[in-house]
Structures are given as structure tokens and as C-alpha cells.
Amino acid sequence: MNHTLELLLNHSSVRDFKETTINRNIINIIIKTAQMAPTSSHYQAYTIIGVEDVMKKHLLSDIAGGQSWVKEAPLVLLFCGDLYRANKYYRNIDSKVLSNTELYTVATTDASLAAQNAFIAAKSLGLDGVFVGGIRNNVELVSKEFKLPDLVFPLFLLCLGFSKDEIKTKIKPRLPQAVIHKSNFYNSQNDDELIKLYDMKVKEYYKDRTSGKIKDKWTERCGKSLMEKTRYEVGKFFRSIELFKS
Amino acid sequence: MNHTLELLLNHSSVRDFKETTINRNIINIIIKTAQMAPTSSHYQAYTIIGVEDVMKKHLLSDIAGGQSWVKEAPLVLLFCGDLYRANKYYRNIDSKVLSNTELYTVATTDASLAAQNAFIAAKSLGLDGVFVGGIRNNVELVSKEFKLPDLVFPLFLLCLGFSKDEIKTKIKPRLPQAVIHKSNFYNSQNDDELIKLYDMKVKEYYKDRTSGKIKDKWTERCGKSLMEKTRYEVGKFFRSIELFKS
């Protein structure tokens, strides 16, 4: 077991941060590491916006449904898919191409790989944090507020800082490996049974973490969450800025 | 500079592999690490299919336009976005929700964060590799071949193995940090100039790597690549399996 594996295998989200500011050198290393992630055809189809302005942090926290850590994290990075640069700089292209699903997939993947690199870099430097997708509750307002040009779209925040808690949160159990990892084809014949067992495991985890207040199974919790966060506006707004119309 | 940062900052893709097979324990650690990546609302909306069957490797290599490393890599993992499990197991949901853009974004992001974790875990264990998005040249055939149920969609491969080359490839220069990293809003006023300089840097890189055969600037190379890989079929097929219709 090497240090990198240890770091990756012990991941849990952290939402309570010390007020300690993160110095410029550290931020530069985090961004540099993000940039070293693999990128489709070397497009680098993403942009990262550092959210320093206090008003903007408050706004994002509100949009995300009042997630206080968005206000409190000393380092908040907004990850966006970016096809604006492609449109403006790539030579001899038909910009109609940019509005297809393939390019949305490319930009979203590029941004996510970069973000995970940034997160791991930060963690290797003693920081902790959490991703926040809740800003997609109002992609139109986020776009306006950050002056995103057309073909740039907000995806999620990465909130970082030094953890306030001495004791690490217990790691949330993941799906049984056989459910998520198949061999040669999508064989789901044992999934029903495995997910039933996993449901009980998740229920125990929540009971333990919330002193009995929450006792949802995985399938219950995900169902509730899904129906609370339908976010039909994401598609509507993205299409209005010429994204994945085809 | 810690080991993890060193590993991340020295990334370059590797496409030539020794024939050494990867043992089962190593594969399990890689998948376990993938699963420890952050996931939106704990949905874990992805599935990883290990491609062991030689015929399937050949087929994927062909679909990707003849990328030989897909046939030759001892470990090939197919990453898919997965909303099938949501549809089948999440309680009390209206399955119409699954066909919206938001959920496509969630699944693609989940799969990408997991994949980057897998890649880093593999690299920390001495492996190397490359992502291959070329399988999206024919998502319909990939889906059929791997018996993907509706609402599961192929995204990319991660090809892994021990590198054949003693000398590491020179690292490909990334966009200037100021282009990709903005502060508080999308300020692009210096981008034109910075990208002009970057164009020359990339041209030098290609000239050097190909002994003068390729001398494309970044903006030229990306333009060509974009027009070669329009992949309008991705959107068409995904809509046919009820993905992001809204």
C-alpha cells in the first residue's frame, strides 16, 4: 500500500473548514495538477474559475440550497465545460459541430478528470473538501454572474480547505464490487441480491452516523434525492446556449 | 513535492505495453479505488466492464479507428454511465427524470471521477496507460456487443499495462494557466495573445516529437481533430435509449 493509494482509499467528503487561507503557491500547484489530467484530443475543454468574491460565494451557497460550506471554504473552484475556446480559436471548423452531444461529453469528461486531479493534489497537500453539484439548481444565474460566454457551462464546485475535525468521518460504504465491475458484458444476474445486502449496510451506516435519525436504505435515499433534484432547467438552458442540440 | 504530486505532474499517455498480465489483486485494488471517488448524491451512476475477451478487444480497436493499444493492453476497462440501476432500484421515482440532461451530466461526471481515480491508482502501482474515447465512433455497436441495458451508455476505455519504453515521453505542454484559470468571472482579455504563444510552443513540441513530420499549431491540430470526430451518432443513439431527451 503506497501513499497515493492510501490517500485515495481513505476518501470522505469534508464540509467543515478552518479559516486558514490557502496561499497562492498551493493554488497554483493545484491548478497545474488539474491541467496535467488526460484530455480528449488535447482540447482542454474546460475552464476553472476561482471564486474569491464573498458576495459570489454567498450567491452560490444559496443556489446550492444553502450549503454553508460553499461560503466558508477558503478555496472554491468553479469547474465549467468550455467549448467557447474551440469556437473562437480552432481553425477551419464548422461551429455547428459544437452543439452535438459528443462535444458536451468531451467537455464534461475533460472538466471532471481535471477536477479529480485537483482534488487529489489538494489532499496530498493536507487539504480536504467536497464537490458541490447543487449550483446546477440555477445554471442560468451562475452563467450570468460569472459572465460565462456562450458554449461555456457551469458543472460543479470543488470546495477546499483545512479540515476542522480532528476525527475523520467514517467512510461511506460503496456498492459491492461485483455490481459495478462486470466482465466482458453487462451481467446483472446477482445484482438484486447484492443490492439488497448493500441496502442494509447503508442503512446501518446512516443510523450510526446520525445517531439513529436517518435510517434510509441506499435505494430509498437515492430515490428521494433523485426526485428532489430533477433539474430540468439544465437541459433547457444548455440548449439555449447552443449545447447538445444534436 | 510529495510522491502523489510527482506522479500527477509527470503524466503522459503510454500506448506501448509489455505482454505481462496484470494480476487479479491489482485489478481489484484499481476498481476499489475507482469506487472511492466522490459521486453525486452517492448514486454511483457508472459501471466498469473489464474487456478480457480477445475478439471484443479487436472489435473495440477497430471501432476506435485501429488503435492497436486497445488490442495489446493487458487491462482494458470500459467505463459506462449507468442510469439503469437508478431506474430499476431507486424507490418511488418517476423514470422520466432519467432522460434529462442533468442525469446524463451526473452519470458522465461520476464515471470520469472514478476513471481518473482508477488511472492514478494504477500509476501508483507502476502501470501506465491511456484513455480512448474513439469507441464513441460507434456507441450503438459497443452497447450491443457488451449487452448494455437501456440507460447504460459507453463513454471511454482506460487501457493499462506496464510500459515497454524505458524513456518516458516528453510531457505535452498545457495551455497557459491564465487561460484556463480565471478569477471571479470569465475574463478572457489576454487569451488571444497567450494562445498565440502557446500555438508556437505546441508546434515546437510536435516537431520535436515527430522529427519534423508534424508541425501543427494547437489551434490547427484541434481544428482538424474536431472535424474528423464529429460523432453526431452519439446524440442520436443516446436519445434512442431515452437519454437526455429533456
Side-chain angles (χ1 to χ4, degrees), chain A residues 48-128:
Chain A
I48 305 166
I49 303 185
V51 190
E52 290 134 33
D53 185 285
V54 175
M55 297 291 284
K56 284 201 166 73
K57 280 188 175 183
H58 279 250
L59 178 77
L60 290 175
S61 165
D62 289 346
I63 291 175
Q67 298 188 31
S68 55
W69 39 94
V70 175
K71 289 184 285 201
E72 291 155 10
L75 180 57
V76 177
L77 302 172
L78 169 62
F79 281 80
C80 305
D82 190 328
L83 297 168
Y84 167 79
R85 269 198 301 272
N87 195 33
K88 186 165 179 196
Y89 296 108
Y90 294 3
R91 305 285 175 88
N92 303 317
I93 66 159
D94 174 358
S95 63
K96 207 181 66 180
V97 172
L98 298 170
S99 70
N100 81 21
T101 301
E102 162 64 11
L103 269 296
Y104 181 73
T105 307
V106 160
T108 303
T109 304
D110 268 14
S112 302
L113 299 180
Q116 185 60 4
N117 254 24
F119 200 2
I120 295 165
K123 286 170 73 117
S124 83
L125 293 162
L127 296 162
D128 273 297

Coordinates of all heavy atoms in Angstrom, one line a residue, chain A residues 48-128:
Chain A
I48 N -11.6 26.8 -15.2 CA -11.7 26.8 -13.8 C -11.8 28.3 -13.3 O -10.9 29.0 -13.5 CB -10.5 26.1 -13.1 CG1 -10.4 24.7 -13.6 CG2 -10.7 26.0 -11.6 CD1 -9.0 24.0 -13.3
I49 N -12.9 28.6 -12.6 CA -12.9 30.0 -12.1 C -12.8 30.0 -10.5 O -13.6 29.3 -9.9 CB -14.3 30.7 -12.5 CG1 -14.4 30.6 -14.0 CG2 -14.3 32.1 -12.0 CD1 -15.5 31.3 -14.6
G50 N -11.8 30.6 -10.0 CA -11.6 30.8 -8.6 C -12.6 31.8 -8.1 O -12.7 32.9 -8.6
V51 N -13.4 31.3 -7.1 CA -14.5 32.2 -6.5 C -13.9 32.8 -5.2 O -13.9 32.2 -4.2 CB -15.8 31.4 -6.2 CG1 -16.9 32.4 -5.9 CG2 -16.1 30.5 -7.4
E52 N -13.4 34.1 -5.3 CA -12.9 34.7 -4.2 C -13.9 35.8 -3.6 O -13.9 36.0 -2.4 CB -11.6 35.4 -4.6 CG -10.5 34.4 -4.8 CD -9.7 34.7 -6.1 OE1 -9.5 35.9 -6.5 OE2 -9.3 33.8 -6.8
D53 N -14.6 36.4 -4.5 CA -15.6 37.4 -4.1 C -16.6 36.8 -3.1 O -17.3 35.8 -3.4 CB -16.3 37.9 -5.4 CG -17.2 39.0 -5.1 OD1 -18.3 38.7 -4.6 OD2 -16.9 40.1 -5.5
V54 N -16.7 37.5 -1.9 CA -17.6 37.0 -0.8 C -19.1 36.9 -1.3 O -19.8 36.0 -1.0 CB -17.5 37.8 0.4 CG1 -18.4 37.4 1.5 CG2 -16.0 37.7 1.0
M55 N -19.5 38.0 -2.0 CA -20.9 38.0 -2.5 C -21.2 36.8 -3.4 O -22.3 36.2 -3.3 CB -21.2 39.3 -3.2 CG -21.0 40.6 -2.4 SD -22.4 40.7 -1.2 CE -23.7 41.2 -2.3
K56 N -20.2 36.5 -4.2 CA -20.4 35.4 -5.2 C -20.5 34.1 -4.4 O -21.2 33.2 -4.8 CB -19.3 35.4 -6.2 CG -19.4 36.5 -7.3 CD -18.6 36.1 -8.5 CE -19.0 36.9 -9.7 NZ -18.6 38.3 -9.6
K57 N -19.7 33.9 -3.4 CA -19.7 32.7 -2.6 C -21.1 32.5 -2.0 O -21.7 31.5 -1.9 CB -18.7 32.7 -1.5 CG -17.3 32.4 -2.0 CD -16.3 32.2 -0.7 CE -14.9 31.8 -1.2 NZ -14.0 31.6 0.0
H58 N -21.6 33.7 -1.4 CA -22.9 33.6 -0.8 C -24.0 33.2 -1.8 O -24.9 32.4 -1.5 CB -23.3 35.0 -0.1 CG -22.6 35.1 1.2 ND1 -23.4 35.1 2.4 CD2 -21.3 35.2 1.6 CE1 -22.5 35.2 3.4 NE2 -21.3 35.3 3.0
L59 N -23.9 33.8 -3.0 CA -24.9 33.5 -4.0 C -24.9 32.0 -4.4 O -25.9 31.4 -4.5 CB -24.6 34.4 -5.3 CG -25.6 34.1 -6.4 CD1 -26.9 34.8 -6.2 CD2 -25.0 34.6 -7.8
L60 N -23.7 31.5 -4.6 CA -23.5 30.1 -4.9 C -24.1 29.2 -3.8 O -24.7 28.2 -4.1 CB -22.1 29.7 -5.2 CG -21.5 30.3 -6.5 CD1 -20.0 30.0 -6.6 CD2 -22.2 29.8 -7.8
S61 N -23.8 29.6 -2.6 CA -24.3 28.8 -1.5 C -25.8 28.8 -1.5 O -26.4 27.7 -1.3 CB -23.8 29.4 -0.2 OG -24.5 29.0 0.9
D62 N -26.4 29.9 -1.8 CA -27.9 30.0 -1.9 C -28.4 29.1 -3.0 O -29.4 28.4 -2.8 CB -28.4 31.5 -2.1 CG -28.2 32.3 -0.8 OD1 -27.9 31.7 0.3 OD2 -28.2 33.5 -0.9
I63 N -27.8 29.3 -4.2 CA -28.3 28.5 -5.3 C -28.2 27.0 -5.0 O -29.1 26.2 -5.4 CB -27.4 28.8 -6.6 CG1 -27.7 30.3 -7.0 CG2 -27.7 27.8 -7.7 CD1 -26.8 30.7 -8.2
A64 N -27.1 26.6 -4.3 CA -27.0 25.2 -4.0 C -27.9 24.7 -2.8 O -27.7 23.6 -2.3 CB -25.5 24.9 -3.6
G65 N -28.8 25.6 -2.5 CA -29.8 25.2 -1.4 C -29.3 25.4 0.0 O -29.7 24.7 0.9
G66 N -28.4 26.4 0.1 CA -28.0 26.8 1.5 C -26.8 26.0 2.0 O -26.7 25.8 3.2
Q67 N -26.0 25.5 1.2 CA -24.8 24.7 1.6 C -23.8 25.6 2.2 O -23.1 26.3 1.4 CB -24.3 23.8 0.5 CG -25.3 22.8 -0.1 CD -24.7 21.8 -1.1 OE1 -23.6 21.5 -1.0 NE2 -25.6 21.4 -2.0
S68 N -23.7 25.7 3.5 CA -22.9 26.7 4.2 C -21.4 26.6 3.8 O -20.7 27.6 3.8 CB -23.1 26.7 5.7 OG -22.8 25.3 6.1
W69 N -20.9 25.4 3.5 CA -19.5 25.2 3.2 C -19.1 25.9 2.0 O -17.9 26.2 1.8 CB -19.2 23.7 3.2 CG -20.2 22.8 2.5 CD1 -20.3 22.5 1.2 CD2 -21.3 22.3 3.2 NE1 -21.4 21.7 1.0 CE2 -22.1 21.5 2.2 CE3 -21.8 22.3 4.5 CZ2 -23.2 20.9 2.5 CZ3 -23.0 21.6 4.8 CH2 -23.7 20.9 3.8
V70 N -20.0 26.2 1.1 CA -19.7 27.0 -0.1 C -19.2 28.4 0.3 O -18.3 29.0 -0.3 CB -20.8 27.0 -1.1 CG1 -20.5 27.9 -2.3 CG2 -21.2 25.6 -1.6
K71 N -19.9 29.0 1.3 CA -19.5 30.3 1.8 C -18.2 30.2 2.6 O -17.4 31.1 2.6 CB -20.6 30.8 2.8 CG -21.8 31.2 2.1 CD -22.8 31.9 3.1 CE -23.5 30.8 4.0 NZ -24.7 31.2 4.6
E72 N -18.0 29.1 3.3 CA -17.0 29.0 4.4 C -15.6 28.5 3.9 O -14.6 28.7 4.5 CB -17.5 28.2 5.6 CG -18.5 29.0 6.3 CD -19.5 28.0 7.1 OE1 -19.2 26.8 7.2 OE2 -20.5 28.5 7.6
A73 N -15.7 27.7 2.8 CA -14.4 27.1 2.3 C -13.5 28.2 1.8 O -13.9 29.1 1.1 CB -14.7 26.1 1.1
P74 N -12.2 28.2 2.2 CA -11.3 29.2 1.8 C -10.9 29.1 0.3 O -10.6 30.1 -0.3 CB -10.1 29.0 2.7 CG -10.2 27.6 3.3 CD -11.7 27.3 3.3
L75 N -11.1 28.0 -0.3 CA -10.8 27.9 -1.7 C -12.0 27.2 -2.4 O -12.3 26.1 -2.2 CB -9.5 27.1 -2.0 CG -9.1 26.9 -3.4 CD1 -8.9 28.2 -4.1 CD2 -7.8 26.1 -3.5
V76 N -12.6 28.0 -3.3 CA -13.8 27.5 -4.1 C -13.5 27.6 -5.5 O -13.2 28.7 -6.0 CB -15.1 28.3 -3.7 CG1 -16.3 27.8 -4.5 CG2 -15.4 28.1 -2.2
L77 N -13.5 26.5 -6.2 CA -13.2 26.5 -7.7 C -14.5 26.1 -8.4 O -15.1 25.0 -8.1 CB -12.1 25.5 -8.0 CG -10.7 25.8 -7.2 CD1 -9.8 24.6 -7.5 CD2 -10.1 27.1 -7.7
L78 N -14.8 26.9 -9.4 CA -16.0 26.6 -10.2 C -15.5 25.9 -11.5 O -14.7 26.6 -12.3 CB -16.8 27.9 -10.6 CG -17.8 27.8 -11.6 CD1 -19.0 26.8 -11.3 CD2 -18.4 29.2 -11.9
F79 N -15.8 24.7 -11.8 CA -15.4 24.0 -13.0 C -16.5 24.1 -14.1 O -17.7 23.8 -13.8 CB -15.2 22.5 -12.7 CG -13.8 22.2 -12.0 CD1 -13.6 22.5 -10.7 CD2 -12.7 21.8 -12.8 CE1 -12.4 22.3 -10.1 CE2 -11.5 21.6 -12.2 CZ -11.3 21.9 -10.8
C80 N -16.1 24.5 -15.2 CA -17.0 24.7 -16.3 C -16.5 23.9 -17.5 O -15.3 23.8 -17.8 CB -17.0 26.2 -16.8 SG -17.4 27.3 -15.5
G81 N -17.5 23.3 -18.3 CA -17.1 22.8 -19.6 C -16.9 24.0 -20.5 O -17.7 25.0 -20.4
D82 N -16.0 24.0 -21.4 CA -15.7 25.1 -22.2 C -15.5 24.7 -23.7 O -14.5 24.1 -24.1 CB -14.4 25.8 -21.7 CG -14.1 27.2 -22.3 OD1 -14.5 27.4 -23.5 OD2 -13.6 28.0 -21.7
L83 N -16.5 25.1 -24.5 CA -16.4 24.9 -26.0 C -16.3 26.3 -26.7 O -16.2 26.4 -27.9 CB -17.6 24.1 -26.5 CG -17.6 22.7 -25.9 CD1 -19.0 22.0 -26.2 CD2 -16.5 21.8 -26.5
Y84 N -16.2 27.3 -25.9 CA -16.1 28.7 -26.4 C -14.7 28.8 -27.1 O -14.6 29.4 -28.2 CB -16.2 29.7 -25.3 CG -15.8 31.1 -25.6 CD1 -16.6 32.0 -26.3 CD2 -14.6 31.6 -25.1 CE1 -16.2 33.3 -26.6 CE2 -14.2 32.9 -25.4 CZ -15.0 33.7 -26.1 OH -14.6 35.0 -26.4
R85 N -13.7 28.4 -26.4 CA -12.3 28.4 -27.0 C -12.2 27.7 -28.3 O -11.6 28.2 -29.2 CB -11.3 27.8 -26.0 CG -10.7 28.8 -25.0 CD -9.4 28.3 -24.4 NE -9.6 27.1 -23.7 CZ -9.9 27.1 -22.4 NH1 -10.1 28.2 -21.7 NH2 -10.1 25.9 -21.8
A86 N -12.9 26.5 -28.3 CA -12.9 25.7 -29.6 C -13.5 26.6 -30.7 O -13.0 26.7 -31.8 CB -13.7 24.5 -29.4
N87 N -14.6 27.2 -30.4 CA -15.4 28.0 -31.4 C -14.5 29.2 -31.9 O -14.5 29.5 -33.0 CB -16.7 28.5 -30.8 CG -17.6 29.0 -31.8 OD1 -17.6 28.5 -33.0 ND2 -18.4 30.0 -31.5
K88 N -13.8 29.8 -30.9 CA -13.1 31.0 -31.2 C -11.7 30.7 -31.9 O -11.3 31.5 -32.8 CB -12.9 31.8 -30.0 CG -12.3 33.2 -30.2 CD -12.4 34.2 -29.1 CE -11.7 35.5 -29.4 NZ -11.4 36.3 -28.3
Y89 N -11.0 29.7 -31.4 CA -9.6 29.5 -31.8 C -9.4 28.4 -32.8 O -8.4 28.4 -33.6 CB -8.7 29.4 -30.6 CG -8.7 30.6 -29.7 CD1 -9.4 30.6 -28.5 CD2 -8.1 31.8 -30.1 CE1 -9.3 31.7 -27.7 CE2 -8.1 32.9 -29.3 CZ -8.7 32.9 -28.1 OH -8.7 34.0 -27.3
Y90 N -10.1 27.3 -32.7 CA -9.8 26.1 -33.6 C -10.0 26.5 -35.0 O -10.9 27.2 -35.4 CB -10.7 24.9 -33.3 CG -10.5 24.3 -31.9 CD1 -9.6 24.9 -31.0 CD2 -11.2 23.2 -31.5 CE1 -9.4 24.3 -29.7 CE2 -11.0 22.6 -30.3 CZ -10.2 23.2 -29.4 OH -10.0 22.6 -28.1
R91 N -9.0 26.1 -35.9 CA -9.0 26.5 -37.3 C -10.0 25.6 -38.1 O -10.0 24.4 -38.0 CB -7.6 26.4 -37.9 CG -6.5 27.1 -37.1 CD -6.5 28.6 -37.4 NE -5.5 29.2 -36.5 CZ -4.2 29.4 -36.9 NH1 -3.9 29.0 -38.1 NH2 -3.4 30.0 -36.1
N92 N -10.6 26.3 -39.0 CA -11.4 25.7 -40.1 C -12.5 24.7 -39.5 O -12.6 23.6 -40.0 CB -10.5 24.9 -41.0 CG -9.5 25.8 -41.7 OD1 -9.8 26.9 -42.1 ND2 -8.2 25.4 -41.7
I93 N -13.2 25.1 -38.5 CA -14.2 24.2 -38.0 C -15.6 24.8 -38.4 O -15.8 26.0 -38.7 CB -14.2 24.0 -36.5 CG1 -14.5 25.3 -35.7 CG2 -12.8 23.4 -36.1 CD1 -14.9 25.0 -34.3
D94 N -16.6 23.9 -38.5 CA -18.0 24.2 -38.7 C -18.5 24.3 -37.2 O -18.7 23.2 -36.6 CB -18.6 23.2 -39.5 CG -20.1 23.4 -39.6 OD1 -20.7 24.3 -39.0 OD2 -20.8 22.6 -40.3
S95 N -18.9 25.4 -36.8 CA -19.2 25.5 -35.3 C -20.5 24.8 -35.0 O -20.8 24.6 -33.8 CB -19.3 27.0 -34.9 OG -20.3 27.6 -35.6
K96 N -21.2 24.3 -36.0 CA -22.4 23.5 -35.7 C -22.1 22.2 -34.9 O -22.8 21.8 -34.1 CB -23.0 23.1 -37.1 CG -24.5 22.8 -37.1 CD -25.0 22.4 -38.5 CE -24.4 21.0 -38.9 NZ -24.8 20.6 -40.2
V97 N -20.8 21.8 -35.2 CA -20.4 20.5 -34.5 C -20.4 20.7 -33.0 O -20.6 19.7 -32.3 CB -18.9 20.2 -35.0 CG1 -18.3 19.1 -34.2 CG2 -18.9 19.9 -36.5
L98 N -20.1 21.9 -32.5 CA -20.0 22.1 -31.1 C -21.3 21.9 -30.3 O -21.3 21.7 -29.1 CB -19.5 23.5 -30.8 CG -18.1 23.8 -31.4 CD1 -17.7 25.2 -31.3 CD2 -17.0 22.9 -30.7
S99 N -22.4 21.9 -31.0 CA -23.7 21.8 -30.3 C -24.1 20.3 -30.3 O -25.3 20.0 -29.9 CB -24.8 22.6 -31.0 OG -25.1 22.1 -32.2
N100 N -23.2 19.4 -30.6 CA -23.7 18.0 -30.5 C -23.3 17.3 -29.2 O -22.4 17.8 -28.5 CB -23.3 17.2 -31.8 CG -21.9 16.7 -31.8 OD1 -21.3 16.6 -30.8 ND2 -21.4 16.4 -33.0
T101 N -24.0 16.3 -28.9 CA -23.8 15.6 -27.6 C -22.4 15.1 -27.4 O -21.9 15.1 -26.3 CB -24.8 14.3 -27.6 OG1 -26.1 14.9 -27.8 CG2 -24.7 13.6 -26.3
E102 N -21.7 14.7 -28.5 CA -20.4 14.2 -28.4 C -19.5 15.3 -27.7 O -18.7 15.0 -26.8 CB -19.8 13.9 -29.8 CG -18.3 13.8 -29.9 CD -17.7 12.6 -29.1 OE1 -18.4 11.8 -28.6 OE2 -16.4 12.7 -29.0
L103 N -19.6 16.5 -28.1 CA -18.7 17.6 -27.6 C -19.1 17.9 -26.2 O -18.2 18.3 -25.4 CB -18.8 18.8 -28.5 CG -17.7 18.8 -29.6 CD1 -16.3 18.9 -29.0 CD2 -17.8 17.6 -30.6
Y104 N -20.4 17.8 -25.9 CA -20.8 18.0 -24.5 C -20.1 16.9 -23.6 O -19.6 17.2 -22.5 CB -22.3 18.0 -24.3 CG -22.8 18.2 -22.9 CD1 -22.8 19.4 -22.4 CD2 -23.3 17.1 -22.2 CE1 -23.2 19.6 -21.0 CE2 -23.7 17.3 -20.9 CZ -23.7 18.5 -20.3 OH -24.1 18.7 -19.0
T105 N -20.1 15.7 -24.1 CA -19.5 14.6 -23.4 C -18.0 14.8 -23.2 O -17.4 14.6 -22.1 CB -19.7 13.3 -24.2 OG1 -21.1 13.2 -24.4 CG2 -19.3 12.1 -23.4
V106 N -17.3 15.3 -24.3 CA -15.9 15.6 -24.2 C -15.6 16.6 -23.1 O -14.7 16.5 -22.3 CB -15.4 16.1 -25.6 CG1 -14.1 16.8 -25.5 CG2 -15.3 14.9 -26.5
A107 N -16.3 17.7 -23.2 CA -16.1 18.8 -22.2 C -16.4 18.4 -20.8 O -15.6 18.8 -19.9 CB -16.9 20.1 -22.6
T108 N -17.4 17.7 -20.6 CA -17.8 17.3 -19.2 C -16.8 16.3 -18.7 O -16.4 16.4 -17.5 CB -19.2 16.7 -19.2 OG1 -20.1 17.6 -19.7 CG2 -19.7 16.3 -17.8
T109 N -16.3 15.4 -19.5 CA -15.3 14.4 -19.1 C -14.0 15.2 -18.8 O -13.3 14.9 -17.8 CB -15.1 13.4 -20.2 OG1 -16.3 12.7 -20.5 CG2 -14.1 12.3 -19.8
D110 N -13.5 16.0 -19.7 CA -12.3 16.8 -19.5 C -12.3 17.5 -18.2 O -11.4 17.5 -17.4 CB -12.1 17.8 -20.6 CG -11.3 17.3 -21.8 OD1 -11.1 16.1 -21.9 OD2 -10.9 18.1 -22.6
A111 N -13.4 18.2 -17.9 CA -13.5 19.0 -16.7 C -13.5 18.1 -15.5 O -12.9 18.4 -14.5 CB -14.9 19.8 -16.7
S112 N -14.1 16.9 -15.6 CA -14.2 16.0 -14.4 C -12.8 15.4 -14.1 O -12.4 15.3 -12.9 CB -15.2 14.9 -14.6 OG -16.5 15.5 -14.9
L113 N -12.1 15.0 -15.2 CA -10.8 14.4 -14.9 C -9.8 15.5 -14.3 O -9.1 15.2 -13.4 CB -10.2 13.9 -16.3 CG -10.9 12.8 -17.0 CD1 -10.1 12.4 -18.3 CD2 -11.1 11.6 -16.2
A114 N -9.9 16.7 -14.8 CA -9.1 17.8 -14.3 C -9.5 18.0 -12.8 O -8.6 18.2 -11.9 CB -9.3 19.0 -15.1
A115 N -10.7 18.0 -12.5 CA -11.2 18.3 -11.1 C -10.7 17.2 -10.2 O -10.3 17.6 -9.0 CB -12.7 18.4 -11.1
Q116 N -10.8 16.0 -10.6 CA -10.4 14.9 -9.7 C -8.9 15.0 -9.4 O -8.4 14.8 -8.3 CB -10.8 13.6 -10.2 CG -10.5 12.4 -9.3 CD -11.2 12.5 -7.9 OE1 -12.0 13.4 -7.6 NE2 -10.9 11.5 -7.1
N117 N -8.1 15.4 -10.5 CA -6.7 15.6 -10.3 C -6.4 16.7 -9.3 O -5.6 16.6 -8.4 CB -6.0 16.0 -11.6 CG -5.2 14.8 -12.2 OD1 -5.4 13.7 -11.8 ND2 -4.2 15.2 -13.0
A118 N -7.2 17.8 -9.4 CA -7.1 19.0 -8.5 C -7.3 18.5 -7.1 O -6.6 18.9 -6.1 CB -8.0 20.1 -8.9
F119 N -8.4 17.8 -6.9 CA -8.8 17.3 -5.6 C -7.7 16.4 -4.9 O -7.3 16.6 -3.8 CB -10.1 16.5 -5.7 CG -10.9 16.4 -4.4 CD1 -10.5 17.0 -3.2 CD2 -12.1 15.7 -4.4 CE1 -11.2 16.9 -2.0 CE2 -12.8 15.5 -3.2 CZ -12.4 16.1 -2.0
I120 N -7.2 15.5 -5.7 CA -6.1 14.6 -5.2 C -4.9 15.4 -4.8 O -4.2 15.2 -3.8 CB -5.9 13.5 -6.2 CG1 -7.1 12.6 -6.3 CG2 -4.7 12.7 -5.7 CD1 -7.1 11.7 -7.5
A121 N -4.5 16.4 -5.7 CA -3.3 17.2 -5.4 C -3.5 17.9 -4.1 O -2.7 18.0 -3.2 CB -3.1 18.2 -6.6
A122 N -4.7 18.5 -3.9 CA -5.0 19.3 -2.7 C -4.9 18.3 -1.5 O -4.3 18.7 -0.5 CB -6.5 19.9 -2.8
K123 N -5.5 17.2 -1.6 CA -5.5 16.2 -0.5 C -4.0 15.8 -0.2 O -3.7 15.6 1.0 CB -6.4 15.0 -0.8 CG -7.9 15.4 -0.7 CD -8.8 14.3 -1.2 CE -8.8 13.2 -0.3 NZ -10.1 12.9 0.3
S124 N -3.2 15.7 -1.2 CA -1.8 15.3 -0.9 C -1.1 16.4 -0.2 O 0.0 16.1 0.4 CB -1.1 14.9 -2.2 OG -0.6 16.1 -2.9
L125 N -1.6 17.6 -0.2 CA -1.0 18.7 0.5 C -1.7 19.0 1.8 O -1.5 20.1 2.4 CB -1.1 20.0 -0.5 CG -0.2 19.9 -1.7 CD1 -0.6 20.9 -2.8 CD2 1.3 20.1 -1.4
G126 N -2.6 18.1 2.2 CA -3.2 18.2 3.6 C -4.5 18.9 3.6 O -5.1 19.1 4.6
L127 N -5.0 19.3 2.4 CA -6.3 19.9 2.3 C -7.4 18.8 2.2 O -7.1 17.7 2.0 CB -6.4 20.8 1.1 CG -5.5 22.1 1.1 CD1 -5.3 22.6 -0.3 CD2 -6.1 23.1 2.1
D128 N -8.6 19.2 2.4 CA -9.8 18.3 2.3 C -10.9 19.1 1.6 O -10.8 20.3 1.4 CB -10.3 17.8 3.6 CG -9.5 16.6 4.0 OD1 -9.6 15.6 3.3 OD2 -8.8 16.6 5.1

